[in-house]
Amino acid sequence: MAADGGMTARQPAAAPKAADGAREDTAPRRERRVFIRTYGCQMNVYDSERMLGALAARGYAPTDRPEEADLILLNTCHIREKAAEKVYSELGRLKPLKAAKPDLKIGVAGCVAQAEGEEIVRRQPAVDVVVGPQTYHRLPELLMRAEAGEKVVETEFPAEDKFDHLPAATPAGRRVSAFLTVQEGCDKFCAFCVVPYTRGAELSRPVEKVLAEARRLVAEGVREITLLGQNVNAYHGAGPNGRDWSLARLVLALAEIDGLDRIRYTTSHPNDMSDDLIAAHRDCDKLMPYLHLPVQSGSDRILRAMNRRHSADDYLRLVERIRAARPDMLMSGDFIVGFPGESDADFAATMALVEKVGYGQAFSFKYSPRPGTPAAGREQVPEAVKAERLAALQAVLAEQQRRAQEAMVGRRVKVLFERPGRLAGQLVGRSEYLHAVHVEAPAALMGEIVEVEITRSESHSLAGRLVA
Ligand code: SAH
Ligand code: SF4
Ligand code: F3S
């Protein structure tokens, strides 16, 4: 059944209206439902919102129940083996739904789609559509082909810019904090990482487009924007008069938007932490004092083998300069243990770096060999050694996080309330430092930035009370 009313003879072939012609002929016959499950990084969260937007224009309403969906999409992550395998087990669980509802379409989007392509349909024939991260804007068309019975695999890196095609995201309900992708892809080719292969070459969106999207978000009630990119601080988008802008310049321009109160960005690479960006942390009140700056290892030998192109000391000096500009900066990072060739001494160097930096938050992983990446073919560190190192590192990082949280007790922070808490009468929001803070507060304060005194540190959040 063709869902596309415009393709039938009943609708005259009138010239489409100028502004929105492409979507003119897409009115559906009945409301359909789409269920999206998102894995991986914030960029996937943003992409899922954009896909929901593209599908809403085709009459798909979101649902959080896969059983009632006409379309199920998994927006996937390929960064580690476990992440990719999760996708196949989830597909196995979804398969019976299809037996019960033959019209159901199942799609795989995101980085596993890009990396595995046809292989997904071979391994799990219940899948109808495979769509890579650079071709989401073609999703409605791909679905039409799937509805006609074709197995569709679309993993090109097209010349056109997907952002020009995707309609505005239409998230459910009001949000106070939003993601905004400004840069995508990566040219750095760290020896362990699939991102350059799954997301393609580094690309920055033009300044005007970013500013327009930010203004629209603010008009919808958003007060905090997190700029996203795999290497967000490598941003170099074309400015209004043709010259490229740095991330710092973009941040300062965003800070001029009335009603936008908080700006964050993630993820940064140490080598792109430019002077003007560090200065923006000193000069721009709206730029929040939280920085995710992955280092991966504290050993120069391993950093070289990883192709990170900086030393442990470069990183430490950088952190010093950042803290000189913004003494209260809460540092966050990513670490990999058990990279091929990592000795006990290399691991000890990572532990030493962690001690020197003092992280408020961090993510750490066992090295996972990824197909097609240079390090995958090297001699691997035994699993038991990886597990032991990860446990030791995580113990230290957890202790640092606990201390950073304890240090907040008694301090006053500003909290942007984002959602109701678990208990009645509670709201939960984020402090400047990205700590989740729950507070007894009237619902009317939702979406407001309010002064709170921190009273207690819990395992992954803080508790506080409103300052009268
Ligand atoms: N662009 C970011 C990180 C993207 S991936 C940056 O350059 O820092 C997020 C994190 O996943 C990485 O920082 C790294 O710590 C981890 N990671 C990436 N590939 C991995 C692999 N093959 N095995 C284990 N961890 C990995
Ligand atoms: Fe991956 Fe390295 Fe690029 Fe980060 S900088 S996305 S870790 S290749
Ligand atoms: Fe995963 Fe792709 Fe993000 S591999 S971390 S979803 S860029």
Side-chain angles (χ1 to χ4, degrees), residues 47-376:
D47 285 345
S48 288
E49 284 170 6
R50 301 286 287 218
M51 284 192 272
L52 279 178
L55 290 165
R58 304 257 326 163
Y60 282 93
T63 173
D64 51 15
R65 299 185 51 224
E67 318 79 61
E68 65 175 37
D70 304 281
L71 169 63
I72 294 177
L73 282 175
L74 304 185
N75 194 9
T76 62
C77 174
H78 201 241
I79 201 82
R80 284 169 291 275
E81 189 181 359
K82 263 195 194 146
E85 281 309 314
K86 253 193 224 160
V87 175
Y88 286 104
S89 26
E90 178 70 14
L91 286 172
R93 277 194 297 277
L94 292 172
K95 198 178 161 187
L97 289 181
K98 201 151 172 169
K101 191 178 192 178
D103 278 349
L104 171 67
K105 296 288 172 236
I106 298 181
V108 177
C111 292
V112 175
Q114 188 63 43
E116 311 231 311
E118 304 253 349
E119 174 64 17
I120 298 174
V121 184
R122 257 196 302 276
R123 249 179 97 172
Q124 184 44 272
V127 173
D128 302 284
V129 180
V130 175
V131 55
Q134 302 310 330
T135 37
Y136 294 149
H137 55 291
R138 295 188 184 158
L139 195 53
E141 171 216 323
L142 303 180
L143 278 172
M144 259 169 58
R145 282 164 51 195
E147 276 159 14
E150 193 186 332
K151 292 275 177 201
V152 184
V153 178
E154 178 71 72
T155 54
E156 295 293 299
F157 287 105
E160 79 255 23
D161 179 355
K162 71 171 175 183
F163 294 106
D164 284 345
H165 296 264
L166 287 165
T170 49
R174 183 173 172 229
R175 316 178 272 180
V176 296
S177 182
F179 292 137
L180 200 176
T181 295
V182 300
Q183 180 275 344
E184 200 167 356
C186 180
D187 297 339
K188 292 208 162 52
F189 292 91
C190 299
F192 51 81
C193 184
V194 291
V195 170
Y197 311 96
T198 61
R199 293 276 168 168
E202 208 177 284
L203 180 104
S204 296
R205 295 175 67 193
V207 169
E208 303 269 34
K209 299 243 168 87
V210 173
L211 293 177
E213 190 168 331
R215 284 191 205 100
R216 209 195 56 238
L217 288 169
V218 171
E220 287 170 7
V222 165
R223 300 190 64 179
E224 173 180 271
I225 290 181
T226 303
L227 305 175
L228 297 182
Q230 265 90 21
N231 272 293
V232 71
N233 56 345
Y235 178 85
H236 55 91
N241 45 24
R243 294 273 304 273
D244 280 1
W245 282 29
S246 66
L247 184 68
R249 191 156 175 206
L250 182 68
V251 164
L252 296 179
L254 286 163
E256 299 287 312
I257 298 177
D258 271 340
L260 178 60
D261 298 298
R262 291 179 160 191
I263 303 167
R264 304 180 185 275
Y265 60 91
T266 199
T267 297
S268 298
H269 191 286
N271 290 358
D272 294 314
M273 208 62 218
S274 55
D275 292 343
D276 63 344
L277 190 54
I278 296 174
H281 278 287
R282 182 192 60 214
D283 300 333
C284 179
D285 291 340
K286 292 186 179 182
L287 190 55
M288 293 292 105
Y290 174 99
L291 182 62
H292 184 64
L293 195 64
V295 64
Q296 317 298 355
S297 169
S299 153
D300 287 344
R301 217 172 59 83
I302 295 299
L303 286 169
R304 218 170 307 124
M306 286 177 163
N307 192 30
R308 290 291 290 186
R309 298 167 198 265
H310 63 75
S311 66
D313 198 48
D314 292 337
Y315 182 85
L316 289 170
R317 276 184 289 129
L318 176 60
V319 170
E320 243 169 58
R321 280 166 54 222
I322 293 164
R323 284 192 167 140
R326 186 77 209 223
D328 61 340
M329 184 72 86
L330 189 139
M331 293 299 302
S332 161
D334 288 345
F335 298 88
I336 295 177
V337 300
F339 185 79
E342 187 186 70
S343 66
D344 286 340
D346 293 320
F347 177 64
T350 299
M351 296 291 267
L353 178 139
V354 168
E355 284 299 343
K356 282 183 195 146
V357 173
Y359 289 91
Q361 149 109 69
F363 304 89
S364 45
F365 315 97
K366 285 190 247 178
Y367 169 71
S368 170
R370 307 308 294 130
T373 58

Side-chain angles (χ1 to χ4, degrees), residues 13-27:
K17 279 184 206 145
D20 206 14
R23 265 173 268 149
E24 191 71 2
D25 60 355
T26 56

